[in-house]
Amino acid sequence: MTTVSELPSPLTLLPRAQAGDEHAMNHLLTAITPYVARICRSITHDDGADATQEALLAVYRGLGSLREPAAFYGWVRSVTVREAIRTARRYGAESCCSEVDSQEETDPLDAVHISDVLERLSQAHRQVLTLRAYGLSEEEMAEVLALPVGTVRSRLFRARRRFQEAWQPSAA
C-alpha cells in the first residue's frame, strides 16, 4: 500500500493528470486530500467530509482549465473554499466557519479560546475571518461570497472589532 508521503509531488503529477492519466490523477487527488480536508473542516466544521468530497470533485473536473502549474495550490485553495462555502450553505449556516486552524499555536488553550470566541460571532463574521486566515484578499472573499467588495470590507472591520471585544474578557 502506498502512503501519501511516498507519492510523487503533485506538481510532478499535474501535467500527466491534465493529459488524462487516471493513475496520476488518483495520486494527485490523494496527495492534496489532507490539505483540502483541513480547509473544508475549518470552514464547514461538521460537514467537512462532504465539502472535501465536493472540492476534490471540482478539482478533478476543473483541472484541465489550470494553465499555470505554479499556481496549483492557490487554485486548489480557491476551488476548495468556494465548494466548502457552497456545502455550508446547502447544509445550513449554523456550522459554517466555526474554527480557524492556526499554523503556529504556542499555547494549546489559545486554540480553544479562539474557537470559543468565533462560536459567539455571527456566521457572516466567522466566514470573513476564516477566509482572511486562509490568506484570501478582500476581492477574493467578495468573489467567493458573492458580495460587493465594500460589504466584505465592512464585515471584516466589524468582525475584527467583535472578535477583539469578545477576546478581551477571556484574556484576563
Side-chain angles (χ1 to χ4, degrees), residues 79-99:
V79 168
T80 300
V81 167
R82 184 180 62 242
E83 292 303 320
I85 288 174
R86 283 183 185 160
T87 300
R89 285 181 180 155
R90 188 169 46 247
Y91 290 112
E94 287 302 309
S95 65
C96 187
C97 303
S98 61
E99 64 182 76

Side-chain angles (χ1 to χ4, degrees), residues 6 43 52 55 93:
E6 296 171 346
I43 294 172
T52 299

Side-chain angles (χ1 to χ4, degrees), residues 2-119:
T2 305
T3 64
V4 172
S5 62
E6 296 171 346
L7 295 175
S9 159
L11 296 180
T12 304
L13 295 167
L14 186 58
R16 293 182 13 224
Q18 286 181 310
D21 181 339
E22 289 181 30
H23 191 67
M25 179 64 81
N26 287 337
H27 284 315
L28 179 69
L29 293 174
T30 300
I32 66 169
T33 296
Y35 174 67
V36 169
R38 187 171 55 251
I39 294 170
C40 288
R41 267 192 319 274
S42 179
I43 294 172
T44 64
H45 196 47
D46 294 334
D47 301 314
D50 290 336
T52 299
Q53 186 175 19
E54 292 296 326
L56 289 171
L57 185 59
V59 167
Y60 172 80
R61 288 180 178 156
L63 196 59
S65 68
L66 180 64
R67 300 286 175 238
E68 183 56 49
F72 177 69
Y73 280 102
W75 177 78
V76 167
R77 183 192 69 199
S78 177
V79 168
T80 300
V81 167
R82 184 180 62 242
E83 292 303 320
I85 288 174
R86 283 183 185 160
T87 300
R89 285 181 180 155
R90 188 169 46 247
Y91 290 112
E94 287 302 309
S95 65
C96 187
C97 303
S98 61
E99 64 182 76
V100 175
D101 289 336
S102 175
Q103 298 296 330
E104 298 178 23
E105 293 178 12
T106 54
D107 181 358
L109 285 177
D110 282 347
V112 172
H113 295 302
I114 290 170
S115 292
D116 180 55
V117 171
L118 284 172
E119 287 294 326

Side-chain angles (χ1 to χ4, degrees), residues 151-165:
T151 302
V152 169
R153 287 181 179 141
S154 175
R155 281 188 188 175
L156 193 55
F157 174 79
R158 287 187 179 98
R160 286 177 174 150
R161 189 170 36 176
R162 300 281 187 282
F163 184 92
Q164 289 171 345
E165 289 168 359

